[in-house]
Amino acid sequence: MIITSVIIILREALEAALIISVLLAFSRYSKLPITWLWKAIALGTIGSYLLANILPWLSEIGEGVAQDILFATIHFLVVAVLGLVVWLWSNPSQTHLLPYLMLFAINLAILREGCEIIIYYTGFMSNADLLMNVSVGGIIGLAIGVSIGAICYYLLLSLRNGHFIPVTFILLGLISAGLVSQAITLLYQADILSSNGALWDSSALIRESSLIGQLLYAVMGYESTPSALQVSSYFCIAGIFLFLAARIKKQPDN
């Protein structure tokens, strides 16, 4: 139970931690104020608690369809905001909007992942022994996720100026592509989209339920049995961010 808890909480925490670390490093590099970060964390935490409380009601609508659509919408919104961040960075007259966009993106990320964590722990509230075990596992998973986010943050800041923006845009592209893939999976579950089957099955190499599989899921939306729509959407979103990264003029190193 502890190992399972570690993997589940690590996956949820890491998704938010990566977005926070990349945007925080981006803000520091661009010499933007970081007061938006604390507001985003506070609003996201409060929002995740409120959402967790209304989710049981949403789950009753269309046998969970409303919940899947809501989470898919949050994923798409995060991707759209990250795309705006990348686009506005190259427009000096609009950089004042970046802190608000980053606040919104992190707020949504924490809202989504925090809600999942709260719901997970709610299921163990009636059993003190199990709650203790999953709490220990959750603390370990959270610590690992935050640590990976911190390492990512400092690694990005250690890059030379000429490499920071391209690498950051590539990371945001991978994160965004993964979020779109996850959103499509949710729409499949809600029967909004129909899948024609998987293009391949890589579960023999990396199982989604394994630690590595969950880490890859958090970082880049790994699916062992992706559909054609997921694969095409993934490369389309990643390609857009790569194109934007390639258009950035290399800046002189420090």
Side-chain angles (χ1 to χ4, degrees):
M1 183 61 70
I2 292 180
I3 299 300
T4 301
S5 180
V6 169
I7 294 175
I8 291 175
I9 302 304
L10 172 58
R11 181 190 65 189
E12 305 298 342
L14 185 56
E15 289 187 33
L18 286 175
I19 295 176
I20 292 173
S21 64
V22 174
L23 292 183
L24 181 57
F26 181 82
S27 184
R28 291 290 299 273
Y29 174 85
S30 304
K31 295 180 173 58
L32 296 171
I34 61 171
T35 52
W36 54 267
L37 175 62
W38 315 117
K39 296 176 183 177
I41 292 175
L43 290 173
T45 302
I46 295 171
S48 62
Y49 174 78
L50 295 175
L51 181 58
N53 279 276
I54 67 172
L55 213 55
W57 174 74
L58 284 176
S59 298
E60 296 177 359
I61 300 177
E63 297 181 352
V65 170
Q67 176 181 323
D68 291 334
I69 294 175
L70 174 61
F71 285 162
T73 302
I74 292 175
H75 283 348
F76 285 130
L77 281 174
V78 173
V79 172
V81 174
L82 293 180
L84 280 174
V85 168
V86 170
W87 181 71
L88 289 179
W89 186 87
S90 60
N91 188 344
S93 64
Q94 301 295 328
T95 53
H96 65 282
L97 297 174
L98 290 176
Y100 299 101
L101 290 173
M102 291 188 288
L103 183 153
F104 189 45
I106 292 178
N107 181 19
L108 288 175
I110 294 176
L111 175 70
R112 168 72 168 88
E113 311 306 338
C115 174
E116 292 278 13
I117 292 174
I118 292 173
I119 292 173
Y120 175 71
Y121 279 107
T122 299
F124 298 97
M125 287 300 180
S126 59
N127 191 317
D129 292 333
L130 285 179
L131 180 60
M132 177 62 69
N133 288 333
V134 297
S135 296
V136 171
I139 292 172
I140 296 173
L142 180 62
I144 296 173
V146 171
S147 297
I148 294 175
I151 292 171
C152 177
Y153 169 75
Y154 286 110
L155 285 176
L156 285 174
L157 289 183
S158 69
L159 293 173
R160 295 179 176 181
N161 285 347
H163 300 106
F164 178 86
I165 290 299
V167 171
T168 300
F169 283 10
I170 290 171
L171 281 175
L172 289 177
L174 291 176
I175 292 171
S176 298
L179 289 173
V180 169
S181 178
Q182 294 175 30
I184 291 174
T185 297
L186 290 168
L187 294 179
Y188 284 151
Q189 293 175 186
D191 289 329
I192 302 299
L193 297 175
S194 57
S195 173
N196 293 323
L199 285 182
W200 62 71
D201 186 351
S202 59
S203 57
L205 295 174
I206 303 176
R207 291 182 295 106
E208 288 182 33
S209 59
S210 67
L211 178 58
I212 295 177
Q214 291 297 299
L215 288 174
L216 290 175
Y217 177 86
V219 175
M220 53 188 298
Y222 171 73
E223 290 273 354
S224 60
T225 55
S227 67
L229 179 59
Q230 285 176 299
V231 173
S232 59
S233 298
Y234 188 96
F235 284 106
C236 179
I237 296 298
I240 291 173
F241 279 81
L242 286 174
F243 172 74
L244 292 172
R247 292 182 68 248
I248 299 298
K249 293 181 180 180
K250 187 174 180 180
Q251 302 175 17
D253 297 331
N254 286 333

